[in-house]
Amino acid sequence: MQIYDELVQRGLIAQVTDEDEIRKMINEGKATFYIGFDPTADSLHVGHFMALCLMKRLQMAGNKPIALLGGGTGMIGDPSGKSDMRKMLTKEDIEHNIECFRKQMSRFIDFSDDKAIMVNNADWLMNLNYIDVLREVGACFSVNKMLTFECYKQRMERGLTFLEFNYMIMQSYDFYKLFQDYGCNMQFGGDDQWANMLGGTELIRKKLGKDAHAMTITLLLNSEGKKMGKTEKGAVWLDPEKTSPFEFFQYWRNVADADVMKCIRMLTFLPLEEIEKMDAWQGSELNKAKEILAYELTKLVHGDEEADKALEAAKNLFGGKGNTENMPTTKVELTDGKIGILDLLVATKLAPSKREARNLIAGKGIAVDDVVIEDPTAQIAIESEVIIRKGKKVFHKATV
């Protein structure tokens, strides 16, 4: 099966501008494509992971990825899907986040021998002259048309700043610049980016003529990504210091039954023939599918050794063997050999605040060494370690 048809069968494609030409270029390995990543945090997360898997898949088929780091657009913030304006980041924060992104992306994309490139849109956006932008780019955009796009309509009632209104123009200029300087002929993004991305395609054709072969593909990544990657503790990060390999494994091991095959199809590199056989699995077999999903994705992000450790830890824990060696662990300080349960839950980040910790206890959602805690003032004695369970599936070890 050719790569474009595989993307369709894996359920990745949402909308395209020139399907026949896109299919031909991707299948022949002639696409130089970009995906943008705004550095809003110091680690990539599960939403980015979906895009990185796609880039890896296309690169394996001979196409050339451009990882565009949004050092410039990150100064503005994309209003798509946001109910309020993003927190403004400093230049120093953005630079730090970009360096973190660079290191993590190299685990997925082969940047050697010009097989892929990484660029920062701050290199051109930060040096633009405002009047030049208005004359060269602004004249190509209709405000009336921009206001019909969902990414702006949903913010009109709550308030849309002029700063955010410019995001579409900046993102469109990125594609225009990459097209001219790097031969980038295709852009990929989540399905909530369709309007922003169309702006880039239209800008290129208005500036360079209708024969300029610039194409847009949006993927069913963002709509899925927004359902995924969030837990009670916050986002699921790719940085092992933020989300341990075991926690990452457990996140995928605990996806809903209805989502497991969709995730396997979209995110793993298992052959479609193998996945199609798994489609008929039901009941307890779905637990096996979840284990496969968790192992394959942990291996992609953290490597074989960490995936093996996470799998072994999960089997030991849920198989009753009691081996907690690879379980997420936090060292805590005691007073007279004890620690308050609320302090313990906050210290281990099983609750973001004491108020949330109280709510968990009130709902009988916390157990320490298999004893359900019902008193929020309880003092937990720890000689060497205790195992805390939140709900049925989240485990954490606390040591002295």
Side-chain angles (χ1 to χ4, degrees), residues 172-186:
S172 299
Y173 190 82
D174 283 343
F175 193 17
Y176 176 62
K177 185 73 174 175
L178 292 171
F179 182 90
Q180 289 188 299
D181 293 359
Y182 297 96
C184 179
N185 49 34
M186 203 173 293

Side-chain angles (χ1 to χ4, degrees), residues 45-46 225-237 251:
H45 53 67
V46 163
K226 285 171 182 174
K227 292 193 298 182
M228 301 176 189
K230 297 290 184 182
T231 69
E232 293 177 6
K233 291 175 65 176
V236 176
W237 303 100
Y251 171 77

